[in-house]
Amino acid sequence: MQLLDGKATAQEIREELRQAVEVRKKNGTKVPHLAAILVGNDGGSLTYVNAKVKACQQIGFESSLIRYDDISEEALLAKVHELNNDDKIDGFIVQLPLPSHIDELKITMAIDPLKDVDGFHPENLGKMVLNLPCFLPATPAGILELLKRNNIETSGKDCVVIGRSNIVGMPLSIMLARNSNPGNCTVTLAHSRTKDLKQKVANADIVIAAIGKPDFVTADMVKEGAVVIDVGTTRVDDASKKNGWALKGDVKFDEVAPKCSFITPVPGGVGPMTIASLMINTLRSMELRGI
Ligand code: GUN
């Protein structure tokens, strides 16, 4: 069994991006500027957004964190339009989930697709399906990059993606099936109505768990030698931790790991790769706009 070390791979990517920023500075070209909007006080979302801002600082990107305890949908839309028209900002994200009085789709669709570094806008998702240049959603793109940089063959493999969320499972299932590298998998997108899930997972060469249910994937479900990617990051109470909680993946790591050829840990697997992908997209935002 080999651990897929997302933390180390993300660090490698950050170093490459840092060097690219150095070159831009030397040439007198603009340094990328990422803005992040966070609404509310959810601890998990704040941790993620802070990690994104910290990554910007390490790479040498400029960053702005825009925080609201609460905001109306109308005022948030106005802020999105302001960032769309602000030449200093190269890309921005609105951290999800948003409070229930705000329509997430409406906000996502208001973002200029050329600044949509999360790759959530329907224009970017549509281009992704057609394999056209676009921003790829950060978590799926991070998973593909992790597979690629660890020389894991995907072509012709049977892959089960568990969970059909708009930001992970759904786009990832398409990206893995596309005629690209990584890609060319035969993908099953499993969800709450899937029948015989255990059997489907047991036949898979690559299993990707993205449902947010701790310990959902158990050893009896996984084929010997499978590649297992765990996207889950649920906070569970843990008195032994300083902050009183620990992050738990969707895979019962201790019993599944011995059966795998490769497996991602939680934390330190997919999470750091998501942030690295966002940074890649932020640099690309300048290239796509010819800056
Ligand atoms: N919430 C969970 N993951 C993400 C992400 O990648 N981007 C945004 N904007 N919100 C999220």
Side-chain angles (χ1 to χ4, degrees):
M1 182 276 291
Q2 211 175 313
L3 207 60
L4 282 172
D5 188 343
K7 200 170 162 191
T9 308
Q11 178 54 38
E12 196 179 291
I13 294 169
R14 277 207 295 270
E15 179 53 26
E16 290 165 14
L17 293 171
R18 200 188 59 73
Q19 288 174 17
V21 169
E22 283 298 315
V23 171
R24 292 187 79 89
K25 280 185 180 163
K26 246 186 227 146
N27 296 341
T29 18
K30 187 180 181 308
V31 166
H33 189 148
L34 175 73
I37 300 178
L38 175 64
V39 183
N41 293 293
D42 175 70
S45 292
L46 181 60
T47 305
Y48 292 133
V49 170
N50 281 338
K52 291 168 186 179
V53 169
K54 192 170 155 207
C56 285
Q57 288 162 353
Q58 285 175 346
I59 292 166
F61 289 177
E62 290 181 35
S63 58
S64 302
L65 173 55
I66 302 160
R67 281 195 71 176
Y68 302 102
D69 282 335
D70 198 8
I71 189 170
S72 68
E73 184 180 278
E74 196 185 1
L76 184 56
L77 278 172
K79 188 68 194 178
V80 166
H81 290 303
E82 185 190 313
L83 295 177
N84 282 343
N85 294 314
D86 185 342
D87 287 340
K88 292 191 294 300
I89 304 297
D90 300 293
F92 66 98
I93 64 162
V94 180
Q95 187 68 22
L96 304 178
L98 288 167
S100 56
H101 64 274
I102 300 177
D103 182 341
E104 286 183 357
L105 188 59
K106 209 165 168 181
I107 300 296
T108 303
M109 288 182 68
I111 298 174
D112 179 347
L114 288 174
K115 292 193 177 188
D116 168 39
V117 284
D118 258 332
F120 293 170
H121 190 284
E123 185 172 317
N124 281 313
L125 287 173
K127 286 181 172 173
M128 177 272 284
V129 173
L130 298 174
N131 224 345
L132 296 171
C134 65
F135 293 116
L136 296 172
T139 301
I143 291 168
L144 294 197
E145 195 67 25
L146 191 61
L147 294 171
K148 188 173 184 174
R149 287 185 184 237
N150 286 278
N151 301 312
I152 295 173
E153 183 60 75
T154 57
S155 183
K157 303 290 182 188
D158 289 326
C159 176
V160 173
V161 178
I162 313 172
R164 57 179 159 186
S165 71
N166 286 346
I167 64 178
V168 183
M170 185 69 79
L172 182 57
S173 67
I174 296 164
M175 287 160 72
L176 282 164
R178 296 187 309 180
N179 184 0
S180 60
N181 180 30
N184 286 312
C185 286
T186 304
V187 182
T188 301
L189 180 55
H191 46 75
S192 53
R193 306 281 176 90
T194 297
K195 66 175 170 61
D196 304 328
L197 178 67
K198 280 198 172 195
Q199 206 178 317
K200 290 184 167 74
V201 174
N203 283 324
D205 304 305
I206 301 172
V207 179
I208 301 181
I211 37 167
K213 287 191 180 162
D215 292 340
F216 183 83
V217 176
T218 48
D220 57 312
M221 294 169 80
V222 175
K223 180 166 88 173
E224 199 72 45
V227 175
V228 174
I229 307 289
D230 191 347
V231 188
T233 50
T234 306
R235 280 188 180 192
V236 295
D237 292 341
D238 186 340
S240 71
K241 300 278 184 208
K242 204 169 56 199
N243 44 20
W245 53 265
L247 278 188
K248 261 244 167 244
D250 290 348
V251 177
K252 207 164 188 182
F253 184 90
D254 290 347
E255 63 173 54
V256 173
K259 291 185 84 176
C260 300
S261 55
F262 293 91
I263 185 167
T264 58
V266 175
V270 173
M273 291 303 296
T274 297
I275 296 174
S277 293
L278 180 67
M279 300 298 123
I280 292 172
N281 279 354
T282 303
L283 182 62
R284 272 201 84 221
S285 73
M286 315 203 61
E287 292 161 6
L288 283 176
R289 283 164 34 250
I291 300 171

